[in-house]
Amino acid sequence: MTISHRSIGTGEHKVLVLHDWFGTSASWSQLLDHLDPSEFGYAFLDYRGYGDRRDVQGQFTLAEIAGDALALADELGWDTFSLVGHSMGGKAAQRVLVEAPRRVRKLVGVAPVPASPYPLEGDAHDLFHGAAQNPANRRAIIDMITGNRACDRWLDAMTDRSVAGSRPEAVAAYLTDWTTQDFAAKITGSTLPVKVFVGQHDVAINAEAMRTTWLAHYPQAELEVLANSGHYPMYELPVAFATALEAFLRA
């Protein structure tokens, strides 16, 4: 069965891109005009229950995302590739690394969830676990993790796209999985080239959190704080982010 995906570029360096909890493969669309299609070949995967695969049944787990990502790479004939994962996709990308470490050239985490558990307590637990069924919760989360800086029009559009592009049961199941799974021991010490991007105004995934997780797990990891951005640099500063992303992939 062919796995639906978006693609751009025919370059030799292949890059598999994994989206966030509220997004889809279309979340990267504002970045596409700024990527180098002659040097890189990108594939943007939709998870089961999301985007073009909204009606695809599944377990809705990180392990399933990793399995689908590797199956897509096989379909495309990619023996090796780099991984880019945003937020929940950052944890899913690490799951791919666990399953096929020799196939991964470089790893990029964009406001990425670590391989260790990400506990939610109190009001945060209620806010996040209510997001599958309540669009207002999604909007409040997006507003919070972009530093309460975005205009209402953008927040409304992000929320509407999230609701239209995902099935509630998938959103709920993925949340349970990405907040509780712990496979840090399986990736800690990896000498893979790793780059971590976080936004200056992201209150959830910030530089301090990365220093105790991603940078502690990967000895070769680099951290870059993106000024004037929150959790969504692909929306908030697409030109600067695309430039920084490809500079790392190219190095």
Side-chain angles (χ1 to χ4, degrees):
M1 180 179 66
T2 301
I3 297 176
S4 178
H5 65 284
R6 299 166 190 261
S7 62
I8 182 174
T10 57
E12 182 180 350
H13 189 152
K14 307 303 183 183
V15 186
L16 187 57
V17 186
L18 305 179
H19 63 78
D20 65 306
W21 182 44
F22 285 158
T24 68
S25 62
S27 299
W28 304 88
S29 60
Q30 295 188 42
L31 216 63
L32 302 188
D33 286 345
H34 315 303
L35 300 176
D36 186 344
S38 63
E39 187 170 0
F40 301 98
Y42 293 91
F44 301 83
L45 175 68
D46 275 320
Y47 310 145
R48 300 185 191 209
Y50 282 70
D52 291 340
R53 304 178 74 214
R54 191 179 188 277
D55 296 328
V56 176
Q57 299 299 320
Q59 300 293 317
F60 309 132
T61 64
L62 300 175
E64 186 175 72
I65 293 172
D68 284 352
L70 289 168
L72 176 58
D74 290 342
E75 285 185 9
L76 296 172
W78 295 1
D79 292 330
T80 61
F81 48 87
S82 290
L83 285 164
V84 177
H86 176 221
S87 197
M88 177 182 83
K91 190 162 187 172
Q94 293 177 91
R95 187 72 202 187
V96 176
L97 180 62
V98 168
E99 301 298 334
R102 296 184 180 180
R103 298 184 68 176
V104 182
R105 294 178 60 172
K106 293 186 175 185
L107 173 63
V108 178
V110 185
V113 176
S116 50
Y118 191 88
L120 296 169
E121 300 176 349
D123 292 343
H125 179 279
D126 295 342
L127 179 65
F128 277 71
H129 282 272
Q133 297 292 341
N134 190 345
N137 287 44
R138 301 193 196 200
R139 190 185 191 280
I141 292 169
I142 295 167
D143 191 19
M144 176 183 68
I145 61 182
T146 50
N148 304 115
R149 298 159 55 250
C151 64
D152 288 339
R153 185 175 176 83
W154 184 80
L155 292 170
D156 290 343
M158 288 286 285
T159 304
D160 291 345
R161 281 193 292 266
S162 175
V163 172
S166 60
R167 285 164 49 191
E169 63 269 32
V171 173
Y174 285 124
L175 174 64
T176 297
D177 208 54
W178 70 254
T179 55
T180 61
Q181 284 294 305
D182 184 1
F183 48 88
K186 295 182 179 180
I187 53 88
T188 295
S190 169
T191 56
L192 188 74
V194 175
K195 183 67 176 277
V196 181
F197 293 98
V198 296
Q200 173 190 5
H201 300 287
D202 189 345
V203 299
I205 304 291
N206 55 29
E208 181 180 358
M210 295 299 93
R211 291 189 182 100
T212 60
T213 55
W214 275 71
L215 270 64
H217 297 158
Y218 299 100
Q220 304 298 324
E222 307 171 22
L223 174 66
E224 182 170 343
V225 178
L226 297 169
N228 202 32
S229 181
H231 195 73
Y232 295 93
M234 63 288 296
Y235 285 101
E236 297 175 76
L237 61 168
V239 177
F241 175 52
T243 302
L245 170 63
E246 291 196 331
F248 171 71
L249 293 175
R250 187 177 292 117

